[in-house]
Amino acid sequence: MSTLHIVDHPMVQHKLSMMRCKETTTKDFRQLLNEISLLMGYEVTRDLPLDPIGIETPLEKMTGYEISGKKVAIVPILRAGLGMVDGLVSLMPVAKIGHIGLYRDEETHNPVFYYCKMPPDIDQRFVILVDPMLATGGSACDAIAKLKSYGCKNIRMMCLVSAPEGVSRVQETHPDVDIYTAALDRCLNENAYILPGLGDAGDRIFGTK
């Protein structure tokens, strides 16, 4: 079973509370999401493997460390996931970025991928899949399945607010994918919105509502 990591750092919780407030402006919401994404990035990457390297300081030679292997890829689920990319890129400027766009067909309820573009070596990278809200878990599970179809083996899900229903679905469907979230909220309402949540993250990021 995958592990649920709740990032309860005081600065994360402080900024998340500001984001939840309905009076928070689009500008502030976007900035706060960027800051939280940076802070959460430290936890998601905490156990990345390191290789020793020889370096020379202005005073002497020493052994330093660099991240092993092919480094990191960040993959947002469009569109709201885009709001989390800049914070992670400021932490990991050399990370490659993929994109997954999908919606669910109203009649068949099957996922329809309208855009999918990945770095050519995505299967060799540590992948951070990002989406601010983990509600039903449907989009997250479909996106993870798509990443696995590219050969990805080391995937972590990073989201801002999660519902128990979505967490359970991801854990059951993809038990090898750990979930990192800033909050585990109470439940979903009849419209599949997270309660207490923070509203529609995409609309609040882009000012479309």
Side-chain angles (χ1 to χ4, degrees):
M1 181 66 69
S2 71
T3 301
L4 174 66
H5 304 265
I6 299 178
V7 182
D8 58 358
H9 189 284
M11 290 303 299
V12 171
Q13 296 304 311
H14 171 79
K15 293 175 186 295
L16 176 58
S17 294
M18 295 172 67
M19 292 183 70
R20 289 187 190 271
C21 181
K22 66 180 182 180
E23 283 84 19
T24 298
T25 65
T26 296
K27 172 184 174 294
D28 290 339
F29 189 93
R30 191 181 296 147
Q31 179 62 34
L32 288 163
L33 180 57
N34 183 72
E35 293 168 358
I36 290 178
S37 299
L38 170 62
L39 293 169
M40 290 186 68
Y42 284 102
E43 293 302 317
V44 176
T45 59
R46 176 180 290 277
D47 61 351
L48 286 182
L50 296 172
D51 287 331
I53 58 168
I55 60 174
E56 189 168 353
T57 77
L59 300 175
E60 65 180 21
K61 294 180 179 180
M62 64 163 286
T63 299
Y65 297 92
E66 66 178 3
I67 294 177
S68 299
K70 277 286 188 178
K71 313 292 191 298
V72 176
I74 302 162
V75 180
I77 299 176
L78 304 180
R79 65 179 168 147
L82 290 172
M84 304 179 76
V85 172
D86 285 349
L88 289 173
V89 168
S90 64
L91 177 65
M92 300 168 282
V94 299
K96 298 290 179 68
I97 301 172
H99 295 85
I100 291 178
L102 63 88
Y103 66 90
R104 201 163 303 280
D105 184 278
E106 292 184 1
E107 294 184 1
T108 67
H109 303 292
N110 292 326
V112 178
F113 289 87
Y114 63 86
Y115 188 78
C116 193
K117 184 74 171 180
M118 295 294 158
D121 60 352
I122 187 71
D123 61 318
Q124 302 173 48
R125 290 180 175 268
F126 170 82
V127 179
I128 304 174
L129 179 68
V130 296
D131 196 358
M133 314 300 283
L134 179 57
T136 66
S139 294
C141 287
D142 294 337
I144 292 168
K146 175 64 77 172
L147 287 170
K148 289 181 176 179
S149 75
Y150 280 86
C152 299
K153 300 177 180 64
N154 193 352
I155 305 167
R156 293 182 184 180
M157 177 83 194
M158 178 176 138
C159 46
L160 193 64
V161 177
S162 300
E165 296 91 331
V167 169
S168 295
R169 185 169 179 178
V170 172
Q171 289 182 324
E172 291 170 5
T173 308
H174 299 286
D176 54 333
V177 176
D178 282 359
I179 303 166
Y180 290 76
T181 186
L184 181 63
D185 278 11
R186 187 171 74 252
C187 64
L188 297 175
N189 68 10
E190 63 276 8
N191 296 315
Y193 277 86
I194 301 174
L195 297 176
L198 47 71
D200 187 299
D203 283 340
R204 297 193 70 185
I205 292 166
F206 298 108
T208 49
K209 189 174 181 180

